[in-house]
Each structure stands twice: as structure tokens, then as C-alpha cells.
Amino acid sequence: MSVPPPVGQAVAAAHDDAKGFILYAKHARRHVIDLPHNFEILNNRVVSLCSSWKVLNDDINRQSVTRQKNDNYEACLKEKDRILKHYQERIVNRYKKLVGLESGANGEAGNQIPVGELSAASKRWNNKFYIRTFYRLARLDKNVRKFMTEVTELEIKITLEHVTSRVNPEIVLRQSAKELTHAPSHQAVLDSLVVCLCDADCKRIIIHGEPQVGKTNILRNLNNRLVQCPPGLELDCVIWVTFPTRLSEPEDITTDIQDKILQRLDLAGQNSGSGKKEAISRALCEKSYLLLFDGFSPSIELEDIGISEEHEHGKVIIEAKDPYLLKNFKCHKKIELEKLSPQDSRILFDKIIADEKLCEENRDLGDMIVEELGGLPGVIISIARSLKCEQEDCWEGLNQRLKADVNVIDLPELGGVKLAFHIAYDNLKENDRKCVLYAALFPKVFPIPIDILVECWKAEGFLWCPGSSFAAARSEGRTVLNELTMHHLLQKCSKRHAKMPINCRRVALETPFPGEERETSFVKSGVPGHLEEAEWKKARRVSLMQSKSVKLPVNPESKRMSTLFLLLNPELEIIQDSFFRNMKTLRVLALNSLGMKLLPTCLSSLTALQSLYLNNCGKLQQLPPGIRKLKKLEVLDIRGTLIRCLPEEIRSLVNLICLRFSLGPGACNPSPDRDSLERQTSETFSTAKHLNKLEELTIVLEINNGSIDHFVNRIKAGFSKFENVTQFENVNNRIELLLQRQYQPPRGGDVNFSNSTVPVTHGHDATAGIEWPRSDNEVSDCHICIPGRCC
């Protein structure tokens, strides 16, 4: 465009303005034309920035042992987030708006960058210098060029060297650990460990708990936390040692540990064991060090490794996988790591699912699944990962499998539990293994009365005890129970009750009894209690406790049956007369808390029976006459029934050791007066005096009229040979007496027992019609507890 020469002063001024505008328009047009190209370059650099950031984080994770994030990382992260936000809002969205390409146009998502469409749309504005949008596009190009520089500068900064710092290998090597923000209880244990480390007198610490509860993860978090020591704690070196479980000889184990410590201390050239020990001791004697053992063995001495108590500033923390270590290792502090609480378990579960909508839609299902996982972090994490992004039917299917314990142990998520169980189980004696598997017959998380469990073990022949003394059997049973508890295969939930950890029980149910083929024990609790004919035929032990709609066959071919649990099924009112006919090997029969009025006459067929539990069958009126044929019966419990007059048939039970019954209103006299109670008491004396082997007698008195003290004194006087008499408090004219005496074998016998008695530990709620296991806070402070608190 040519401009004619100006004419006059006013025209000259206008000429200069026009010329300046034309130059400005030309300059702006250049920007508008360059904008698509510059925007494409900027977009590529933003994509490159995001890719570089991802690569950087991958490098940081791979080198987490030797490098840690520093303050530059947080600064770069904030700058990256600012740049991405500015790019989307101030560049992309503005560009779309100016050229008329709004978010979502042409099928593009709002967060996608349609570079080609933007370029094509902006070309329409190349010559429209007479419209305001033209100049706004020009200013946008200037901003794009300036912003491009900011993106480039940040991408140059995000290097591993700039955003991380090398961890000093002389102090700590980081370990891969799961964070504890989801588990306040575990975080509290970590904090208590730090407090112990700050205590100069606390130099030997053990952290213990059941397998898979998270002990190793606690130590790993502690190790990483000491990258920056808390105030009051200064360390020259933190040494992590994973115990070599593949080795068995103490010498080989010691050498392996020494090699790991020497490698960590950058010491070499020590060939002999004594040389390694001296080198480690010399290197650490003046240092302030912390030695973290992931596992240890009572067969190994720290002194043999080179870790001396004379090291003034040395501390040792051991994660105890071996229960015997708690007995044999001298330490200043023992810290038990508990399972996650239901609240913490659910928090961890939701954190792994990482989908708030999915968790909320399956809130109830999630709670039920978490309840079945036993509070073990590793199991919760594995199960949650398997459910991530799954639909509701998958959640429901897993929940049903967990509740019914059907094919659960084959889940890969429970592999760690299975391994931990068999490590402990395989180290037990054969009979102790049987005791573990027997406990799995009780429903999950069921508080098992300890004395009932011991009585069943004795009847099954799992206990070694001389003669037939109940005191000896109880003593041996408690020894076994302590052993199993120490291995975390059973847990004591009160002084009187124990239970099996829910995941251990699942493995136990899939484990055959030693010396028996698979599928000889059938457990159906909380599910329809129905066994097929073939299952009844090969069964040795059957538990249908708390079953739903239990169905019993008329005459099962159960010729190998030794234990049958039918208790806690109040809807079960009739058992066919021929049901027990083929169970001549049955040793333990639990029918307590059923709805029966009469027992089947075929009960007399159970000639091998040793323990019979009928307590709390509130409608049961009498024992069948054929009970006299049960010559091997040792335990009979008829408390809480309508049988208040001991039948004469009981006199024939010559091997009866433990008898539990009630006196008071019953089928024989619903409203007894004082004279009737006197006759009941006298008949009791007359019947019981024929039971020469009786060691334990539990009598529940229910007196509606008159003084209960009179009858208490009568009973004490009538059973004067029972030297140990325990009376429990009178509640609503209901009192319980436990009488014990030491078994004296016939003259000439070759068994001799001490005079000490082993108190039993059952509890009986004198105010309740049906006996149930108590929780810890329901147990009275009696020094000797009551037998017969049957399940």
C-alpha cells in the first residue's frame, strides 16, 4: 500500500499516525500468523515437561534407597502445577475462545488440546486488523512466547540431582515401607519405639505379634524415619539385617549376619569367624549405632556376632518371629503389635480401593469383607487390590466365600498367612498339631471355654497324662494351650476362654489331621448344616455348631466318628432314635442348648463316649435308661436342664470324673418346698457316693423359698471328702458350688499323683438361663473359676 506525499501541516500529522498504525498492524499480523506455530511448539514443550516429570518420579522411586526428595522437589512440583494450570486457563482456553472454538467443540474433551483445529480456525483472522480479536490474538502470541521460556526453564531444573539429595550411607539406607497414616495404632507403636531409642537405659528392644500383623513394616518405617534423627537421639549408623531363614546351623547363621554387617560398614578382608567378630566389635564400640533385626533366633548370641553389651551407645531392636525368643532374649522393652482395629482396617481398605464412589456404594459389603480379614494389614491390602475397579457382584462373591470359608485359603492374597501358619504348625509335636486342628471345629472368632477344649483333647487322646487324673490332664492341657498361644495359633480372649485367629482357622480347616486322609473333619457353622451321605460315612469329626436349618440323617454310616458338635441349635428338637446307632467310636458329644425334650434311646450305643454335654437344654426332662451302658463316660454336664433329680442310672457310670448338675425346680418337682429340696439333696448324696472316681462336682442351687445357706452347708457336709470347695456369690437365690478332690488310685496302682490340684476355669452366670461365654469385662474376680461354661 503506497501513501501519497502529505499536503499541509495537519495532513502531515495524519500521515504520521496512519504510517504508525500500519506498522503496528503489520507487526500484529506477524504475531497472528505465527501464533499457531508457536502454540504448537508450546504444547509440545508442556507435553515434554509432563513426560520428564513422570520419568523423574520413576527414577526417584527406583533409587529411593540412596536418594531422597529435598525442598527443590516441592518447589518444582508447585511450579509445574502452576504452569499446567496457567497453560490450560490462560493460553488454551483463551485461544479457543478467541477463535470461536469452545471447549468440547468438534467432539473434543475439555481437557484435550485440538492443535490442528486451533491452527485452522486462527488463520481466518490473519487480515482482520480492523477487528479487536485480531489484536488480542497478537497479544496471545506474545504471551505464548514468554510462557514458552518459563516451561523450558522448569524442564531444565527437574533433574534427579536438583530435586533429590543423596542419603549418607554412613547413617542409614532407606527401606521400602508402606506408610502408616492409615493405621494410627501402628503409628503409635512407631512413636513408642522412637521414645525408647531416646532412653539411654533402653538398649535391647523386642517387637512381637502374630504373623502378618505388620512388624517388619514398622521397623522399615523406623529405619526411614531415622534419616532425620529426632531431638535427643544422635546416631552414627543404622544397620538393617534380614535374618537368614534359609540357614539352619547357628554357625552359618552367625557368619551370614556378620557378612551383612561388615558389608554395611564397608569392612572387608575378614575371613575367619573370630576375625569378623573382632572387626565388628572394634568398628562399633565407639559408635552410636542402631541394629535392626528383621527376625532372629534364640540359638544365636549377639556377643558371637560382635555386638557387645559393653558398647555404650549401641542399641538393638529385634522383630521376633520365633516365640521362644521372647523367653530367652534378655531385653529392656517388649512391645506387642496388635492387629488393626476395625476402624483402621476399613480406613486401609478404602485407601487401597482409592475410589470413594465405589466404597460408598458397597459400604456394607466392604464392612463385612474387612471383618473377615482379621485385622492383618498385608491381607487387607492384597484383598483390596483384587477388588479394585470390580463390580458389586465380585464383592458379594468374595464376601460369601470368606463367610463360608469355601476355597478361601487358595486365594493368592492369603499366601502369606498360609506360609506363616505352617512355619509354626510344622514345628509342633504331632499331638499338639492335632490340638490346633481340633480348635478349628469351633465357629470363627468363637470364645472357646478352655476347660471344655482340654476335656475334648483328653477324650480324643491328644494329651499325654498318666492314669486318668483330671488334674494331670488339665495341667497338660494348659501347657499345650500356652505353647499354641505362644505360636499365635490360638489366642486367649479372657482367663477362661480362647479363640482361634480367623485366618489361622481357615488354614487349619484345609489341613488334614496327622495320620489321617483329607476331608475327615467337616465344619459347617453359620451356614446350612447339611452333610452328604458320603461325608457322614468318612467323617471323624463333625461340627454343626450354630448351623442354619441343620438337617440330620436317620441312620448315618459314621463308623469312624470321634467328635460330634451339634450344640447351639435351639431349633433342633428331635434326633431320630437310630441316629447314633453306627457311632460306636464316638468320644465327644455336645448337644447343649438344643430344643429337645427327650434324648434318643440309641444314645446307649455310644459305648466309647467319654464326654457328654447336655447343659442348657432347657426342655430336657430326663436321661434315657440306657445311659448306664456308657461305662467309659468321664464328663457329664446336665446343668440348666429340667433334670434336677439325679437318676439312679448315673451310679453305673463307674468312670465318671466330672459331674455338673442343678438342684431346685425341675421336671420332677416344678415348685419344690424345703422338704422336697432336702430329699433332692439326700438323693444326690446317695447317688454321688457310688461315683468313686469323681474328682470334680459342680452343683447349681436354685432356691425360691427359704435360706440357701442351709443347703450350701448341707452339701459341704455331705461331700466332706472333697477337700477343695469353692462357693460363688448368691445372685437371686442362685448359687454355684465347685467341689474338687484329688483322685486316689486303687491300692497297688503304679500311678502316684501330687496333692496339688489344678483349678478349672469355667465361668457360670448364675443369673442367666442359658450359659454363654463371657467377655473379659464380664468375668468376676474369683480366684478359682467355675467349670461348665460350655459353648
Side-chain angles (χ1 to χ4, degrees):
M1 176 188 306
S2 60
V3 180
V7 179
Q9 185 175 2
V11 175
H15 176 270
D16 290 340
D17 290 341
K19 185 176 180 181
F21 172 76
I22 292 172
L23 290 175
Y24 174 73
K26 282 184 176 181
H27 184 71
R29 184 172 182 270
R30 184 73 264 163
H31 279 294
V32 173
I33 293 173
D34 291 343
L35 176 59
H37 177 69
N38 291 336
F39 177 78
E40 183 175 1
I41 294 175
L42 174 61
N43 183 70
N44 292 337
R45 290 191 180 178
V46 170
V47 172
S48 176
L49 173 66
C50 294
S51 177
S52 298
W53 186 260
K54 183 178 183 304
V55 171
L56 173 69
N57 278 288
D58 291 341
D59 290 341
I60 292 174
N61 290 334
R62 280 194 298 270
Q63 301 185 40
S64 60
V65 174
T66 57
R67 305 195 73 90
Q68 61 177 347
K69 300 172 185 176
N70 56 25
D71 294 340
N72 292 335
Y73 179 89
E74 295 299 328
C76 289
L77 177 60
K78 291 180 180 179
E79 180 66 8
K80 176 188 73 79
D81 292 341
R82 184 194 69 79
I83 283 176
L84 294 180
K85 182 178 180 181
H86 181 90
Y87 172 65
Q88 184 66 41
E89 295 178 356
R90 301 293 182 87
I91 303 294
V92 177
N93 291 347
R94 182 165 179 77
Y95 195 3
K96 288 180 179 181
K97 183 176 180 180
L98 289 175
V99 300
L101 186 63
E102 294 295 337
S103 298
N106 299 324
E108 292 288 341
N111 61 347
Q112 294 178 328
I113 313 300
V115 177
E117 295 181 33
L118 284 170
S119 176
S122 66
K123 288 180 180 180
R124 303 196 309 265
W125 301 91
N126 286 353
N127 296 313
K128 296 183 179 181
F129 53 84
Y130 49 83
I131 296 177
R132 182 176 296 177
T133 301
F134 175 86
Y135 299 100
R136 289 175 176 171
L137 288 171
R139 284 198 297 274
L140 180 61
D141 181 63
K142 293 179 182 179
N143 293 338
V144 166
R145 292 188 179 193
K146 179 181 178 182
F147 192 63
M148 199 183 300
T149 303
E150 295 181 32
V151 174
T152 302
E153 289 176 350
L154 177 60
E155 188 170 9
I156 293 173
K157 285 182 181 179
I158 55 173
T159 62
L160 192 65
E161 289 73 18
H162 181 69
V163 302
T164 64
S165 302
R166 182 173 293 277
V167 177
N168 185 354
E170 294 298 324
I171 299 177
V172 64
L173 293 178
R174 294 178 67 87
Q175 300 289 323
S176 176
K178 300 179 181 69
E179 63 183 41
L180 299 177
T181 54
H182 58 272
S185 58
H186 284 197
Q187 182 65 48
V189 172
L190 176 61
D191 294 339
S192 67
L193 283 172
V194 174
V195 171
C196 291
L197 290 178
C198 295
D199 183 354
D201 296 327
C202 191
K203 300 174 66 175
R204 300 287 188 268
I205 304 169
I206 282 184
I207 177 172
H208 63 101
E210 70 176 271
Q212 303 292 303
V213 77
K215 303 183 293 295
T216 298
N217 190 54
I218 293 283
L219 284 194
R220 288 175 175 169
N221 274 276
L222 174 64
N223 177 87
N224 298 344
R225 183 165 171 175
L226 295 177
V227 170
Q228 295 180 337
C229 289
L233 179 64
E234 294 184 2
L235 294 172
D236 299 319
C237 186
V238 177
I239 304 172
W240 179 276
V241 177
T242 300
F243 191 78
T245 55
R246 69 186 186 280
L247 302 177
S248 57
E249 295 299 325
E251 296 79 7
D252 296 335
I253 295 173
T254 300
T255 299
D256 183 271
I257 294 174
Q258 289 173 331
D259 290 341
K260 291 174 179 176
I261 295 175
L262 290 169
Q263 182 180 4
R264 178 69 180 84
L265 297 174
D266 292 330
L267 298 175
Q270 305 297 333
N271 297 321
S272 67
S274 59
K276 293 176 181 179
K277 173 183 175 180
E278 293 172 359
I280 291 172
S281 185
R282 282 197 305 270
L284 296 178
C285 64
E286 299 297 331
K287 287 184 179 293
S288 176
Y289 67 86
L290 172 62
L291 196 56
L292 299 174
F293 278 103
D294 182 20
F296 205 70
S297 169
S299 64
I300 305 301
E301 296 289 342
L302 289 175
E303 291 283 349
D304 294 338
I305 297 172
I307 309 300
S308 174
E309 292 187 4
E310 296 180 0
H311 294 171
E312 184 177 356
H313 305 293
K315 294 177 180 286
V316 177
I317 299 181
I318 290 177
E319 184 268 305
K321 291 182 171 67
D322 191 329
Y324 295 108
L325 194 65
L326 293 174
K327 291 184 176 181
N328 300 325
F329 186 81
K330 295 180 180 179
C331 63
H332 301 105
K333 184 75 173 181
K334 293 179 182 178
I335 298 177
E336 183 174 6
L337 185 62
E338 301 283 354
K339 295 179 292 187
L340 294 181
S341 66
Q343 295 79 9
D344 286 355
S345 297
R346 186 60 205 252
I347 292 172
L348 173 59
F349 182 82
D350 290 347
K351 181 179 182 297
I352 301 301
I353 296 292
D355 188 329
E356 185 175 346
K357 182 180 178 181
L358 183 63
C359 290
E360 190 59 37
E361 289 176 348
N362 297 283
R363 170 61 54 183
D364 293 339
L365 267 178
D367 287 341
M368 289 187 285
I369 289 173
V370 168
E371 183 182 358
E372 292 289 331
L373 302 182
L376 301 182
V379 177
I380 295 171
I381 290 172
S382 298
I383 292 292
R385 284 174 178 167
S386 71
L387 292 175
K388 206 170 184 179
C389 303
E390 294 290 352
Q391 299 301 317
E392 181 179 353
D393 56 344
C394 294
W395 289 50
E396 179 62 38
L398 177 62
N399 179 51
Q400 293 300 326
R401 287 180 66 182
L402 290 171
K403 281 193 172 299
D405 293 322
V406 176
N407 299 325
V408 172
I409 202 59
D410 293 330
L411 291 171
E413 294 83 5
L414 294 179
V417 173
K418 188 173 183 178
L419 177 62
F421 175 89
H422 282 291
I423 288 176
Y425 176 83
D426 293 344
N427 286 325
L428 298 175
K429 300 174 184 176
E430 180 175 306
N431 275 6
D432 292 353
R433 295 180 189 178
K434 293 178 181 179
C435 291
V436 173
L437 302 183
Y438 195 91
L441 298 178
F442 293 86
K444 64 180 67 174
V445 302
F446 186 85
I448 309 169
I450 292 173
D451 281 329
I452 300 302
L453 182 61
V454 171
E455 290 166 11
C456 293
W457 285 346
K458 180 181 185 300
E460 281 272 9
F462 298 159
L463 299 179
W464 181 90
C465 49
S468 57
S469 168
F470 236 40
R474 292 204 186 282
S475 178
E476 173 66 12
R478 294 213 168 259
T479 300
V480 173
L481 180 65
N482 290 336
E483 177 85 0
L484 303 184
T485 303
M486 188 168 60
H487 283 281
H488 301 286
L489 298 171
L490 289 179
Q491 295 174 336
K492 288 185 179 179
C493 49
S494 73
K495 292 180 179 180
R496 302 180 174 99
H497 297 88
K499 65 180 178 179
M500 195 169 213
I502 190 168
N503 289 304
C504 284
R505 181 177 177 271
R506 291 191 172 108
V507 186
L509 289 175
E510 299 290 334
T511 304
F513 272 73
E516 299 179 11
E517 65 273 20
R518 286 188 173 274
E519 296 184 349
T520 59
S521 297
F522 296 90
V523 180
K524 295 191 177 183
S525 57
V527 297
H530 176 67
L531 267 65
E532 300 296 334
E533 182 179 350
E535 293 174 328
W536 281 106
K537 189 172 184 178
K538 62 182 178 180
R540 289 176 182 255
R541 298 165 198 90
V542 171
S543 175
L544 302 179
M545 293 177 62
Q546 295 179 323
S547 293
K548 299 177 180 178
S549 303
V550 59
K551 297 179 181 179
L552 299 180
V554 175
N555 185 17
E557 290 287 333
S558 302
K559 296 182 179 180
R560 302 192 300 172
M561 184 84 73
S562 61
T563 290
L564 179 58
F565 288 166
L566 297 177
L567 60 159
L568 298 175
N569 290 300
E571 76 285 352
L572 183 59
E573 297 180 349
I574 298 176
I575 297 178
Q576 297 296 326
D577 278 340
S578 57
F579 178 74
F580 294 116
R581 187 166 296 164
N582 293 309
M583 299 185 187
K584 298 186 184 301
T585 59
L586 191 64
R587 297 185 175 195
V588 178
L589 178 59
L591 302 177
N592 32 322
S593 299
L594 301 188
M596 300 182 304
K597 293 182 178 180
L598 297 173
L599 293 171
T601 56
C602 63
L603 193 70
S604 60
S605 303
L606 306 179
T607 53
L609 194 64
Q610 295 187 29
S611 295
L612 176 59
Y613 301 100
L614 302 170
N615 47 306
N616 300 313
C617 290
K619 300 178 182 179
L620 186 62
Q621 299 179 1
Q622 65 184 37
L623 297 175
I627 197 173
R628 61 166 57 93
K629 296 181 180 180
L630 307 184
K631 301 298 184 180
K632 293 186 178 181
L633 194 65
E634 294 183 347
V635 179
L636 176 61
D637 192 340
I638 54 175
R639 290 170 304 151
T641 67
L642 295 178
I643 305 171
R644 301 304 171 91
C645 305
L646 288 181
E648 291 190 4
E649 289 81 3
I650 289 182
R651 300 183 182 187
S652 302
L653 304 179
V654 294
N655 283 300
L656 199 64
I657 299 176
C658 176
L659 175 61
R660 302 167 184 143
F661 67 97
S662 301
L663 282 179
C668 56
N669 193 348
S671 302
D673 54 21
R674 183 184 178 95
D675 293 337
S676 297
L677 289 174
E678 287 282 3
R679 285 195 298 273
Q680 280 190 34
T681 305
S682 299
E683 291 171 0
T684 298
F685 296 155
S686 176
T687 300
K689 71 180 182 180
H690 291 85
L691 303 175
N692 295 324
K693 290 188 176 182
L694 199 63
E695 293 184 41
E696 292 181 7
L697 180 62
T698 302
I699 304 175
V700 178
L701 284 169
E702 297 180 13
I703 308 299
N704 295 328
N705 299 308
S707 172
I708 199 170
D709 293 335
H710 167 73
F711 293 99
V712 170
N713 294 329
R714 282 269 288 130
I715 291 173
K716 288 181 179 180
F719 292 102
S720 58
K721 291 185 178 180
F722 286 77
E723 64 272 11
N724 187 359
V725 179
T726 306
Q727 176 179 332
F728 294 89
E729 60 181 8
N730 182 349
V731 179
N732 296 326
N733 284 327
R734 183 186 177 103
I735 197 168
E736 183 162 354
L737 295 177
L738 167 63
L739 300 94
Q740 294 171 297
R741 68 177 177 183
Q742 189 65 33
Y743 171 64
Q744 298 296 331
R747 184 172 299 179
D750 57 354
V751 180
N752 186 22
F753 300 101
S754 63
N755 291 326
S756 62
T757 58
V758 179
V760 293
T761 58
H762 291 300
H764 174 74
D765 186 352
T767 64
I770 297 180
E771 297 171 19
W772 294 92
R774 297 178 182 169
S775 59
D776 284 330
N777 59 356
E778 295 173 321
V779 178
S780 61
D781 295 327
C782 297
H783 295 289
I784 300 180
C785 308
I786 312 171
R789 186 126 187 114
C790 284
C791 21

